[in-house]
């Protein structure tokens, strides 16, 4: 997912260190939330002053938010103990139920706004702060499901870190560590065959040397199986494996090297502009979701951010490509603009049911977890679950699949 996912959870630190990767150094920078006319909230260099401003504007809503997120994350953390003991789940519903009961499943069906208002967070805090965070992460409103919202809000509260050199090194490091046999080709389809009474899957692909195929006992599909994203077929399956309902949220990332127009944000003197990151409220006239002064993936000890009056590299997130007038609104002048359009995250209002994990006997689907919440950590958890599920099913170790009261079982095993 490239630039839109830039942080790994602390719980993956040991995993990243195994690959020989380093923590990317943080570069200090203040944030603010912009309404289109003025800043509704500004971060300062003083932690206590930031807390006072939050309290002054929103009462104890930020404390109630933190307690709610921590409760969700504390229960979510159980998955690491379960997986350490080899337990797996055959559906996303079973996985969620093992972590937080029916409450977690309900959190995929109700909005984050509804859940937060229920625990005493004010409407103003939701409209200003929660909306800004979700616009910058998922590019969507406070109507996203509560579980996805909690994951996004957890990442926004700190305790995250990125990999020096870029998070893509996690993928290349894994391939090197596992000594996987990588076929550089595009998969076009999977067809079902049988051998000695067991399913056998033929994977068809197209590479630089033409078409090819190979047979496998197990297959894991890691691309979204939705009409707007799926570009390969399943053959000989009964019942047929069809695309799942749902769509993905379009997003545009514009990387602009230029001089920020600080006057648009209420700072006629660019030298006085103090922010490195700007989030936005859900205001109809705002044409961008967020923008930030970005740093290189490798940060030297001598690196410093550009002064606000200097030309710097800014990343602007929007739902539509910026036209020249919009670029002129944000920047006094600029040297270059690089634009990437992509479908980043599920559009969470487009589907109300969760996709399956098991498509066939030994054919598994990984990317359905994005409809619970989309992040690098969720994908990593889902990948390990699929690996454990495939292993346990292959060896008929059914005691390790979809077990109830797992917290008690894990404590007993300890």
């Amino acid at each position: 997912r490239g630039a839109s996912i830039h942080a790994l959870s602390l719980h993956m630190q040991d995993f990243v260190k195994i690959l020989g990767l380093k923590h990317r150094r943080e570069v200090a920078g203040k944030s603010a939330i912009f309404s289109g006319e003025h800043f509704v909230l500004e971060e300062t260099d003083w932690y206590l002053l930031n807390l006072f401003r939050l309290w002054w504007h929103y009462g104890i809503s930020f404390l109630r938010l933190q307690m709610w997120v921590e409760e969700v994350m504390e229960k979510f953390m159980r998955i690491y103990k379960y997986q350490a003991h080899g337990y797996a789940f055959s559906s996303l519903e079973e996985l969620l139920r093992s972590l937080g009961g029916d409450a977690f499943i309900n959190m995929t069906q109700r909005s984050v706004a509804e859940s937060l208002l229920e625990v005493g967070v004010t409407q103003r805090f939701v409209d200003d702060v929660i909306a800004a965070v979700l616009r910058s992460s998922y590019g969507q409103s406070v109507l996203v499901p509560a579980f996805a919202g909690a994951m996004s809000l957890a990442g926004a509260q700190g305790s995250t870190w990125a990999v020096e050199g870029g998070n893509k090194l996690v993928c290349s490091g894994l391939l090197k560590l596992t000594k996987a046999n990588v076929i550089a080709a595009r998969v076009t389809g999977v067809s079902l065959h049988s051998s000695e009474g067991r399913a056998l899957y033929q994977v068809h692909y197209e590479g630089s040397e033409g078409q090819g195929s190979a047979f496998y006992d197990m297959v894991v599909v890691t691309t979204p199986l939705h009409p707007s994203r799926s570009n390969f077929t399943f053959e000989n399956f009964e019942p047929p494996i069809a695309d799942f309902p749902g769509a993905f949220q379009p997003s545009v990332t514009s990387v602009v090297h230029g001089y920020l127009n600080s006057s648009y944000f209420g700072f006629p003197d660019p030298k006085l502009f103090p922010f490195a990151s700007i989030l936005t409220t859900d205001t109809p006239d705002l044409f961008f979701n967020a923008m930030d002064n970005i740093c290189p993936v490798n940060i030297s000890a001598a690196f410093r951010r550009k002064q606000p009056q200097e030309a710097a590299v800014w990343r602007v997130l929007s739902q539509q490509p910026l036209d020249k007038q919009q670029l002129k609104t944000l920047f006094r002048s600029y040297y270059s603009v690089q634009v990437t359009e992509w479908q980043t995250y599920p559009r969470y209002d487009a589907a109300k049911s969760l996709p399956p994990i098991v498509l066939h006997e030994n054919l598994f689907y990984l990317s359905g977890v994005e409809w619970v919440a989309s992040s690098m950590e969720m994908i990593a958890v889902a990948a390990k679950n699929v690996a454990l599920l495939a292993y346990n099913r292959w060896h008929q170790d059914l005691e390790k699949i979809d077990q109830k009261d797992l917290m008690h079982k894990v404590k007993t095993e300890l």
Side-chain angles (χ1 to χ4, degrees):
R1 285 292 154 86
S4 72
I5 304 177
H6 54 272
L8 288 172
S9 166
L10 281 171
H11 311 301
M12 298 184 70
Q13 286 187 17
D14 293 337
F15 163 71
V16 171
K17 289 177 181 177
I18 290 174
L19 301 177
L21 303 176
K22 296 180 180 179
H23 180 196
R24 179 176 177 268
R25 187 172 68 87
E26 295 291 339
V27 180
K30 295 189 287 291
S31 301
I33 299 176
F34 185 60
S35 70
E37 296 181 352
H38 62 278
F39 286 107
V40 298
L41 188 64
E42 302 178 20
E43 187 180 16
T44 72
D45 290 322
W46 295 278
Y47 175 73
L48 291 179
L49 180 56
N50 292 333
L51 290 180
F52 175 78
R53 287 187 170 185
L54 282 171
W55 172 80
W56 182 258
H57 287 289
Y58 308 108
I60 61 172
S61 287
F62 68 97
L63 291 177
R64 287 173 171 159
L65 168 68
Q66 189 169 10
M67 292 172 61
W68 180 77
V69 171
E70 286 180 355
E71 181 182 359
V72 173
M73 294 306 298
E74 183 179 354
K75 292 179 180 179
F76 173 77
M77 291 290 293
R78 295 172 180 174
I79 190 62
Y80 296 104
K81 290 183 179 180
Y82 298 164
Q83 292 184 336
H85 287 262
Y87 290 103
F89 306 93
S90 62
S91 70
L92 293 171
E93 289 84 357
E94 286 293 336
L95 189 153
L96 289 172
R97 189 174 286 111
S98 74
L99 300 176
D102 289 337
F104 266 22
I105 296 178
N106 292 337
M107 287 178 67
T108 68
Q109 304 297 320
R110 62 190 313 212
S111 73
V112 64
E114 182 182 356
S115 296
L116 289 175
L117 291 173
E118 192 174 84
V119 297
V121 174
T122 65
Q123 185 68 56
R124 182 184 179 190
F125 189 80
V126 170
D127 292 340
D128 288 357
V129 180
I130 307 302
V133 172
L134 293 176
R135 280 170 59 85
S136 67
S137 56
Y138 286 138
Q140 297 173 66
S141 74
V142 294
L143 298 180
V144 303
F147 196 91
M151 288 294 172
S152 177
L153 293 165
Q157 291 186 9
S159 298
T160 57
W161 56 280
V163 173
E164 183 179 338
N167 285 350
K168 66 178 182 180
L169 296 180
V170 175
C171 299
S172 58
L174 282 171
L175 289 174
K176 183 178 180 180
L177 181 68
T178 58
K179 300 179 181 179
N181 178 30
V182 180
I183 301 174
R186 183 179 69 86
V187 175
T188 58
V190 178
S191 56
L192 174 63
H193 302 267
S194 62
S195 175
E196 299 178 355
R198 302 192 72 162
L200 197 62
Y201 305 98
Q202 185 177 14
V203 178
H204 306 271
Y205 55 85
E206 292 180 352
S208 58
E209 298 181 357
Q211 297 183 347
S213 68
F215 287 90
Y216 298 94
D217 294 308
M218 298 181 184
V219 172
V220 179
V221 180
T222 62
T223 188
L225 295 177
H226 300 274
S228 62
R229 298 291 298 273
S230 179
N231 57 2
F232 65 92
T233 59
F234 295 98
E235 299 178 356
N236 303 331
F237 288 90
E238 188 62 40
I241 299 175
D243 286 338
F244 301 117
F248 277 72
Q249 176 73 20
S251 180
V252 179
T253 300
S254 303
V255 178
V256 183
H257 180 205
Y259 297 89
L260 183 71
N261 180 19
S262 58
S263 295
Y264 172 65
F265 298 102
F267 288 82
D269 186 350
K271 294 181 180 180
L272 300 180
F273 188 81
F275 306 117
S277 177
I278 304 168
L279 286 69
T280 61
T281 59
D282 195 359
T283 304
D285 292 337
L286 275 174
F287 54 88
F288 70 101
N289 292 340
M291 61 186 298
D292 58 321
N293 183 316
I294 58 177
C295 303
V297 292
N298 292 306
I299 301 177
S300 65
F303 178 82
R304 65 169 183 85
R305 290 189 186 275
K306 296 286 187 179
Q307 294 297 310
Q309 72 274 16
E310 298 178 309
V313 179
W314 290 82
R315 175 180 57 186
V316 185
L317 305 178
S318 59
Q319 295 184 14
Q320 300 292 335
L322 303 178
D323 58 33
K324 289 186 177 180
Q325 183 57 45
Q326 290 169 337
L327 285 169
K328 187 177 180 181
T329 299
L330 295 177
F331 299 93
R332 290 183 286 122
S333 62
Y334 51 88
Y335 296 106
S336 64
V337 180
Q338 296 181 354
V339 180
T340 301
E341 298 184 47
W342 55 352
Q343 294 182 343
T344 49
Y345 298 105
R347 205 177 72 215
Y348 286 106
D349 61 353
K352 293 299 182 182
S353 60
L354 299 177
I357 294 176
V358 181
L359 300 179
H360 192 258
E361 183 179 329
N362 288 307
L363 177 63
F364 305 97
Y365 181 41
L366 177 62
S367 298
V369 75
E370 289 196 280
W371 295 87
V372 175
S374 185
S375 69
M376 291 181 68
E377 185 163 3
M378 288 296 291
I379 290 293
V381 165
K384 187 163 185 178
N385 179 67
V386 165
L388 291 170
L389 179 62
Y391 180 87
N392 293 335
R393 285 168 65 99
W394 185 266
H395 291 283
Q396 291 296 301
D397 191 357
L398 302 183
E399 292 297 317
K400 291 288 188 179
I401 301 174
D402 295 337
Q403 289 297 302
K404 310 299 181 185
D405 195 20
L406 268 183
M407 281 303 295
H408 176 72
K409 289 180 181 293
V410 168
K411 290 178 181 178
T412 301
E413 291 181 17
L414 288 175

